[in-house]
Amino acid sequence: MIIDVHAHWGPWFFTMDVAAASLATMDRYGIDRAIVSATEAVIYDAPAGNRALAEVLAGQDRLYGYVTINPRRLPEAAKDLRELLPSGRWAGVKIHTDYTGSPVTSPQLRDALELAAEAGLPALVHTWGASVLGLAQLCLDTPGLRVIAGHMGADGYAHAIEAANACDRLYLEPCWSHAPAGRIAAVVAAVDDRQLLFGTDATLIDPSSAYGAVAAAGLTAETAERIAWRNAAELFSI
């Protein structure tokens, strides 16, 4: 069993014909379940993208959705949560700090994460560098919040280790467009493996990158199972 907690559905804003590639990509790599955000929602119009994704989720059972939230348009986000969650096909909240101009230090992101906590949903948040430390503090400051540090800080994975050790409600997922030797192994050696997840960034990045990085980490069978699916199944109740 493999659950991809960081995936996408829909075309990108540059030349990349992947509008229908989500399930085909999953089949190619043996991914059983994926939690996806609509690319339209992430990069352009959150309500429109969320509703386009809702139609896709209604027709199959391998994809679960992230309700994408723009922290600078929280009334729209609250409306989306009210209207979409009753379908049972949405597993979490997605927030991209860069595209929305809402860095981890902003009051807008704090308010958005409070909305996610009130809805009882884990939030996948884009992190880079030391920003993951600020995300850990927000998690500590927000009762009931569970957050996933998308890309686990990318080149700031040492900060991600510190962040995860500071807050047991913060989870790390590894996808990144680079795969430095030893990155995953260093994180696994220093972080409780119950806080580690598997993500690929498909369809933006081919899953082979994340697969290779994790495979090279020399994981025990128990840790590999936790990362591949068990932690995600518990976190998202799927």
Side-chain angles (χ1 to χ4, degrees):
M1 171 73 78
I2 299 174
I3 299 176
D4 183 353
V5 305
H6 190 159
H8 305 279
W9 171 83
W12 291 91
F13 55 85
F14 44 81
T15 303
M16 188 174 182
D17 186 14
V18 296
S22 295
L23 292 173
T25 300
M26 291 168 65
D27 289 340
R28 180 179 180 188
Y29 289 97
I31 297 170
D32 299 277
R33 302 284 186 271
I35 308 172
V36 300
S37 56
T39 55
E40 179 184 10
V42 172
I43 65 177
Y44 180 60
D45 186 325
N50 287 335
R51 280 159 180 74
L53 179 56
E55 295 182 10
V56 174
L57 298 178
Q60 53 74 54
D61 60 2
R62 295 178 64 194
L63 299 179
Y64 292 84
Y66 283 113
V67 178
T68 298
I69 285 181
N70 184 334
R72 296 185 176 276
R73 302 175 72 171
L74 285 187
E76 289 181 353
K79 183 174 185 289
D80 283 356
L81 290 169
R82 287 194 306 270
E83 294 181 356
L84 296 173
L85 292 186
S87 72
R89 300 300 302 158
W90 302 86
V93 162
K94 169 68 178 286
I95 302 173
H96 198 296
T97 52
D98 290 348
Y99 288 144
T100 62
S102 306
V104 168
T105 55
S106 68
Q108 290 85 1
L109 183 64
R110 180 200 61 218
D111 293 345
L113 291 175
E114 288 178 354
L115 195 63
E118 290 169 4
L121 296 175
L124 171 62
V125 180
H126 178 86
T127 62
W128 217 263
S131 67
V132 66
L133 294 172
L135 185 62
Q137 188 60 54
L138 284 174
C139 191
L140 290 169
D141 293 342
T142 308
L145 177 64
R146 295 164 296 159
V147 294
I148 303 164
H151 313 294
M152 63 183 194
D155 59 349
Y157 63 92
H159 299 302
I161 291 171
E162 182 180 349
N165 288 329
C167 180
D168 63 5
R169 290 179 282 117
L170 184 142
Y171 297 78
L172 306 178
E173 70 81 16
C175 68
W176 187 25
S177 54
H178 300 280
R183 175 174 176 257
I184 305 298
V187 171
V188 170
V191 173
D192 188 328
D193 66 4
R194 292 171 294 183
Q195 292 172 256
L196 304 177
L197 303 166
F198 180 71
T200 68
D201 216 2
T203 51
L204 181 61
I205 298 175
D206 190 284
S208 60
S209 175
Y211 266 89
V214 173
L219 307 178
T220 66
E222 180 180 356
T223 296
E225 182 179 80
R226 284 192 171 279
I227 292 174
W229 70 272
R230 189 174 296 280
N231 291 340
E234 293 174 359
L235 177 62
F236 292 101
S237 299
I238 59 175

